[in-house]
Amino acid sequence: MNDLELIKEYENQLKAYDLALSTIYFDHQTIAPKAGIEYRLSCLDVIEKTYYDIKTDDKIYEALQRLSKQELSELDKRRVKLLLKSFDDTKKIPSDIYLEYRRLQNEAALTWEKAKNTNDYALFEPYLLKIIEMTKTLCHYRDPNADPYELLLDDYEEGMTIEKYDEFFDLIKQKLIPLIQKIQQKQIIDDSILHGYFSVDKQRQVMEIIKEYLGFDASWGYMSEYMHPFTNALSNNDVRITTFYRENDLCDSIFSVIHEIGHATYEHQMDMENQGTVLHRVSSGLHESQSRLFENYLGRSYHFWDKLFIKLKDIFKDELKDIDQDTFVKAINKSNCSLIRTMADELTYPIHILIRYEMEKAIFHDEIKLNDLNKVWNKYYEDYLHVKPDSDTNGILQDVHWADGSFGYFPTYALGSAYSAQFMAKMREELDVDDLLSKGRMDIINKWLKDNIHQYQNNIAPREIFLKTCKKDFDPNYYIEYLCDKYTKLYELENVA
Amino acid sequence: MNDLELIKEYENQLKAYDLALSTIYFDHQTIAPKAGIEYRLSCLDVIEKTYYDIKTDDKIYEALQRLSKQELSELDKRRVKLLLKSFDDTKKIPSDIYLEYRRLQNEAALTWEKAKNTNDYALFEPYLLKIIEMTKTLCHYRDPNADPYELLLDDYEEGMTIEKYDEFFDLIKQKLIPLIQKIQQKQIIDDSILHGYFSVDKQRQVMEIIKEYLGFDASWGYMSEYMHPFTNALSNNDVRITTFYRENDLCDSIFSVIHEIGHATYEHQMDMENQGTVLHRVSSGLHESQSRLFENYLGRSYHFWDKLFIKLKDIFKDELKDIDQDTFVKAINKSNCSLIRTMADELTYPIHILIRYEMEKAIFHDEIKLNDLNKVWNKYYEDYLHVKPDSDTNGILQDVHWADGSFGYFPTYALGSAYSAQFMAKMREELDVDDLLSKGRMDIINKWLKDNIHQYQNNIAPREIFLKTCKKDFDPNYYIEYLCDKYTKLYELENVA
């Protein structure tokens, strides 16, 4: 076997374990009986250990080293680079520490679930502190001289740094916070119609029409239920999403499903050739650009509902009796400072992320005391959004991400939203998006996304996709202008942009 | 590490892979999108290969050999004996042949599913022939001098031989076939009420009350849907069952769920200590004795319905309006020569198994031409049950077992039914079963089963459980007498036993 073949075989091994682990985790989160957790975790310890051993085989490292000095195709060069990084990031960590961390992630996520359900931050706090500490330790192993938060940011979005994010969030603060304040004072949109009683059975019917409209097909996509919506791609043709139903909220499940289908479509539309490999492991910001594009730029637009609204009314005959499409679309775009990120409107959403970014930065720069982080959280919400969490469930416990150690991930949510603004502008130059939505031609929109974004996979860095597709670098002003323009009109304000 | 510790570690590894593979297969059968199959199979190849390597590690074989010559506790002696057998059975097969067989099992099962759905035996036939051929090859590797069917029978029921099964089935032929014929001529029970329209939604509600009555609790048990009902225990506290709904049949799902909960309760009630190991791998006959006991000896008895019938009528208000408990219980016990094993009544059921036993024996003794096995199947049904399959879907394609290579398994279904008659007789000596059912005290019945059967796990051979619990060896006459007595009364016949 030559080195490239050896690497191929290595990737085959990793793919298989990825699939096994993903299946177990998906099963665990959606259906597995709770009392079986301990046994399952002990089995996971064994599988994770083998996975670690395969991942950090010295023979592979030597082959990767040799390959990195050879003439290779652009794609293989990229593959070797990404594998080396992933190898390094794992191998530098002693195996017992690595496996302890994996175990901790599982246990912390379980504890988080309990703590969130019972509004018991004290239960979760020791896990949070431990996972922060261990994440720092891991970063130290990876590079004792690096700023740990820089390492984490780059993990989730190649090329992003604190400097760049600071600049990005400064722009958000500067431009959006004044707009949000104006809108808060001018509440002219009534969305109470979205907060009546909507039975879970009927909501499930709505999901069927949305899946069909977006082309999320049962032959390759499966939808289940979990308290925290997510997408899990086992392969191009096996993409799972979850959602969560609230009977007093019509739109939460609708937009979370549209969002997850954005992720799912990305996974489904990459080439089959390199599925399961590092070349499919798209950056979080890019991934989020597609889910946000679906959720907001398409899903909250008027024409998205041209075909769907009548079907929605058909399901909720009484509930939506007195409402027309225009009122509905206004209601689903209402901006309101609120507590829950996943339910936030498009305009206040980045502020939720800003809060998490500032907290994470402070945590990893040791500029914050770690006890009572829940109170710090609440203070941030009061300062930036002028709302005070009524419970830790609706405060620091709302998201799973810190429980599973995903520090540095949140910032990509705002970044992805900004990415999609620029992609959308480009798409609108080339396609009559409103007309296509009106006609239900998501196939054409999906093809555009495939040709202009999805096909590049992780074959090139995010920045290069902008250069190819938009013919210019990423520019957050698209996002700011889009939001200012949209909300200025919606709230009949004088131009603030 | 001493040898026993080494074996413990070995079992830990196997347990983890068993859990991973079980999860993937369960997911695959119940929810995984179809288009992802190819990728999933390629990943399974990798996992199965590692599993094989772990399973057949020479170091372990040497340790087991050494241990088999040492003084050990009874339990460890049993453990070592079972592990050595399992080790031998795998290790004697060259790894490429073993893995090819595993792949073939997966592909044949998939093809069977398609073939059954489209009534296309020609599609499945090459897979069936291939899997028969490979099963023979595997047996030859395991022991070139053995009768392959003897090997297979012993795999599923330790200690059972062709001679013993011949004797068992001869008794069935001799005693039951005349009774069946008499009953066929005296059709005095009308079960048309069970074959109206029963919506799947309402049937699902019925399952909830049955699960509750039997103590199948969501904290440790999960129910899903699949075309072929099965039980899959990932651990004591993670037992999954499946069922299948037919809208024109009220009882198919009810009795399949009661049946699977019998299996599930067995798995749940073994000790936690050795879960996932060979000591939990109970023989098929014993396992089936518990599912049959639930399904027939409890589920089809009058008092099982004392608490449930009123709830059933409550769900099917119109459908069961004019029927009382007595009529219902008679209807669910109607005997009728039919085509489908899983839907067969208690009396004709062993004849379905007899057919499979005779076919398997002929196949593995090369006494049958392998082309047109579907026609052979039909001939058997005409000869023994006087019914002619209207399609291969309702003929040879009805069961998955041959597709996954489980030859020698079917006979344990009749054997298990016979086991349960004897267990039930013992239980009735010690408990007032009817009274307990009437009061909904399945907890006491389950405890009896735990104390008298489940607790022994695979710690001792099936025969020894009879000696302990029934104070005598297995005796099929309990079964024959039970059936003759029950059906003689039910059909108001003169005594034939």
Side-chain angles (χ1 to χ4, degrees), chain A residues 99-130:
Chain A
L99 295 169
E100 188 190 333
Y101 185 72
R102 295 291 290 152
R103 183 45 115 91
L104 178 64
Q105 285 178 303
N106 290 331
E107 285 173 357
L110 284 170
T111 311
W112 163 78
E113 201 175 307
K114 268 186 230 151
K116 181 175 175 175
N117 285 331
T118 54
N119 187 33
D120 185 355
Y121 179 66
L123 177 69
F124 178 57
E125 191 177 35
Y127 286 89
L128 179 59
L129 300 196
K130 180 80 188 151

Side-chain angles (χ1 to χ4, degrees), chain B residues 399-454:
Chain B
D399 286 312
V400 69
H401 304 63
W402 287 355
D404 67 19
S406 305
F407 301 98
Y409 182 21
F410 276 126
T412 67
Y413 283 4
L415 187 69
S417 305
Y419 281 178
S420 31
Q422 193 168 346
F423 288 138
M424 202 63 207
K426 190 71 195 169
M427 193 201 292
R428 285 192 181 276
E429 279 176 28
E430 299 181 6
L431 298 180
D432 184 347
V433 176
D434 292 337
D435 185 57
L436 291 169
L437 288 175
S438 214
K439 291 176 176 150
R441 294 304 303 268
M442 273 303 298
D443 55 330
I444 295 177
I445 292 174
N446 281 337
K447 179 157 189 322
W448 190 92
L449 292 170
K450 180 176 179 174
D451 292 345
N452 289 280
I453 299 160
H454 303 171

Side-chain angles (χ1 to χ4, degrees), chain A residues 25 42 78 112 145 237 329 336-337 352 361 368 375 391 429:
Chain A
Y25 286 115
S42 76
R78 175 82 177 160
W112 163 78
N145 301 313
N237 283 325
V329 174
N336 190 28
C337 291
H352 291 262
K361 200 167 60 163
I368 200 172
K375 289 179 187 153
S391 66
E429 278 177 28

Side-chain angles (χ1 to χ4, degrees), chain A residues 445-459:
Chain A
I445 292 173
N446 280 338
K447 179 158 188 324
W448 190 92
L449 292 169
K450 179 175 182 175
D451 292 344
N452 288 280
I453 299 161
H454 304 172
Q455 67 138 322
Y456 296 117
Q457 312 180 132
N458 196 19
N459 300 356

Side-chain angles (χ1 to χ4, degrees), chain B residues 13-52:
Chain B
Q13 294 274 327
L14 296 184
K15 278 155 69 170
Y17 281 83
D18 281 335
L19 178 119
L21 289 167
S22 290
T23 308
I24 296 170
Y25 285 116
F26 184 81
D27 175 275
H28 170 74
Q29 283 172 307
T30 54
I31 58 155
K34 295 288 173 225
I37 284 173
E38 259 317 306
Y39 185 87
R40 202 174 313 118
L41 287 181
S42 75
C43 292
L44 278 170
D45 284 346
V46 173
I47 305 284
E48 292 277 8
K49 169 79 171 69
T50 317
Y51 186 53
Y52 176 88

Side-chain angles (χ1 to χ4, degrees), chain A residues 15-17 23 26-27 31-36 39-40 43 46-47 50 218-220 222 234-235 237-238 240 275-276, chain B residues 15-17 20 23 27 31-36 39-40 43 46-47 50 218-220 222 234-235 237-238 240 275-276:
Chain A
K15 278 154 69 170
Y17 281 84
T23 308
F26 185 80
D27 175 275
I31 59 157
K34 295 287 174 227
Y39 185 86
R40 204 175 310 119
C43 292
V46 173
I47 306 283
T50 317
S219 72
W220 62 267
Y222 174 75
L234 273 64
S235 66
N237 283 325
D238 184 348
R240 287 103 188 271
Q275 56 185 322
Chain B
K15 278 155 69 170
Y17 281 83
T23 308
D27 175 275
I31 58 155
K34 295 288 173 225
Y39 185 87
R40 202 174 313 118
C43 292
V46 173
I47 305 284
T50 317
S219 72
W220 61 266
Y222 174 75
L234 273 63
S235 65
N237 283 324
D238 184 348
R240 287 104 188 271
Q275 57 185 322

